[in-house]
Amino acid sequence: MKLLHRFFIVIIIFSCTGTSFSQKIKPKKVKESMQQVADWQIANFDGLYSDRKKPHHPLDWTNAALYVGMAKWASMADDDTYYEWLKNIGEENEWQLHKRKYHADDHAVGQMYVELFRKYKDEKMIAPTKEQFNFLMFHPSQSALNWDTPYHQDRWNWCDALFMAPPVLAKLYKVTGEKKYLDFMMSEFKASTDFLFDKEENLYYRDERYFDKLDNGTKVFWSRGNGWVFAGLVNIMNELDPKSEEYAYFLDIYKKMAEKLIEIQTPEGHWAMSLLGQEFYPTPETSGSSFYVYGLAWGVNNGILDKEIYEPAVKKGWNAMASHVTKDGMLGYVQPIGAAPGKAWPDKTEVYGTGAYLSAGTEVYKLYGGE
């Protein structure tokens, strides 16, 4: 607790010395920024802003992460424009998941389908998702989680997967009341965490290939990879009874990660692409950092995290993220697709970065008085 107190003092000092970080957050401005970013992304949905050769498939995990944030934004927007945009994507793709039956990345779009089902109450929106997971539960992968095992990504053996598939199962459990979805999710999530979670650092390795790697003498914990996990924990807990044993399991991981995250937030407000290597990765990165802002703000809003300790980190983080939105509404400094710390640029973006920013905005908006 003494360490947290000292860090809190450091946060206050930084908050008071930097103009952008001491800037008061106003709900109206948060909402305006979110709408600007959402509108830009829709207008540039097929744009190539990260050196890609062609647009992502609409059901790809990259877009699925966008839809997660866009659905959150749609719920607080002034009309149903954004819901209708999402619904059109579902209809055009006949509410199917993406092509790989077992791969978590191709399940992620199911999160958007469940949210649309909640709004429109149309069973066809989630029928294919239920059917596919029912198949997986009756024909579970027999692969080990080791990276060189055949069909190894048929299970959640990379930390990104914990954002992609588990929240779909949690949502299916919530809307159907069928505990089989929760039980399968718990079994697989625990296996992945036992395999990938570093109990000394309270962070997740991206996958087995990074267990023994060092980057400039530090363990390699990829920022966006841990951002996937942290946001995924929140998206799962949102579907569970806070008094349940399952909720307690996720809450324990969440609290451990949250405490670690405010210790390693950079003075500029973002998180380094290699979380323990700030001095070697000074470039801002907005996708992982936005997920952390989302998760930390959620914790404060729900009375889980001490506001005095964690709100300054949220404030500094959101102001940093918002400062990287261009006047047109493009979120810059989004690291391109990868699996490890790398590079980011002010004129490069990706759809999943927008999704992370919109997720963060929904909780920041609530934290600072938005209705």
Side-chain angles (χ1 to χ4, degrees), residues 39 47 123 136 150 195 217 237 240 246 285 333 341 360:
D39 288 348
E123 184 68 28
L136 297 184
F195 191 62
M237 286 189 288
L240 303 181
E246 292 86 359
E285 202 289 310
Y333 283 111

Side-chain angles (χ1 to χ4, degrees), residues 193-238:
T193 293
D194 290 345
F195 191 62
L196 297 173
F197 190 64
D198 185 306
K199 293 180 180 179
E200 292 181 0
E201 302 295 347
N202 288 326
L203 296 169
Y204 281 76
Y205 291 101
R206 198 277 175 171
D207 58 63
E208 183 189 33
R209 295 173 296 175
Y210 297 90
F211 286 176
D212 299 317
K213 282 188 177 181
L214 293 178
D215 185 349
N216 294 291
T218 67
K219 294 179 181 178
V220 183
F221 295 109
W222 180 36
S223 179
R224 187 165 65 241
N226 279 273
W228 289 127
V229 178
F230 199 56
L233 290 169
V234 170
N235 292 342
I236 291 167
M237 286 189 288
N238 276 333

Side-chain angles (χ1 to χ4, degrees), residues 155-156 182-192:
R155 295 182 68 197
W156 307 335
L182 178 61
D183 291 343
F184 181 75
M185 187 263 288
M186 292 300 301
S187 175
E188 289 298 289
F189 199 106
K190 286 179 177 179
S192 299

